[in-house]
Amino acid sequence: MNNLVVIQKRQAVTTSLQVAETFEKEHRNVLRDIEGLLKNEQTQNYFSKGEYEHPQNKQKYPMYYMNRDGFTLLVMGFTG
């Protein structure tokens, strides 16, 4: 992935995959952090679940799309 921001349902969003790549985190840890944020009802509309196909094994894996608020909330946890 090269683009930090993509358009989904007419809204600018980014993905958990792109966040993991940009911040040099393992994707499974980014997923864990997002799932922790999803426990709060107020943050649930910041994220939507999706999936991607791994280029090597062609299997589908979970990922999340997030809007600007979700992105900000997530990366604040990385940077403090």
Side-chain angles (χ1 to χ4, degrees):
M1 287 193 146
N2 295 330
N3 297 331
L4 181 59
V5 176
V6 296
I7 302 297
Q8 181 195 33
K9 298 180 184 175
R10 297 173 30 177
Q11 184 176 6
V13 297
T14 192
T15 67
S16 55
L17 286 169
Q18 190 59 51
V19 169
E21 182 180 320
T22 301
F23 289 88
E24 299 179 350
K25 303 279 185 190
E26 290 193 31
H27 187 240
R28 69 172 180 247
N29 293 335
V30 173
L31 292 177
R32 178 200 63 210
D33 293 345
I34 291 170
E35 287 164 0
L37 293 171
L38 289 171
K39 292 177 183 175
N40 181 341
E41 276 187 45
Q42 296 174 350
T43 62
Q44 290 178 358
N45 354 335
Y46 300 165
F47 302 93
S48 66
K49 198 162 193 170
E51 60 181 22
Y52 71 99
E53 185 176 285
H54 193 281
Q56 289 180 329
N57 64 16
K58 306 296 184 207
Q59 288 188 332
K60 297 205 183 281
Y61 294 96
M63 69 172 199
Y64 284 93
Y65 293 97
M66 67 198 81
N67 65 16
R68 182 186 65 192
D69 293 333
F71 171 81
T72 302
L73 192 60
L74 178 64
V75 299
M76 280 178 49
F78 298 160
T79 59

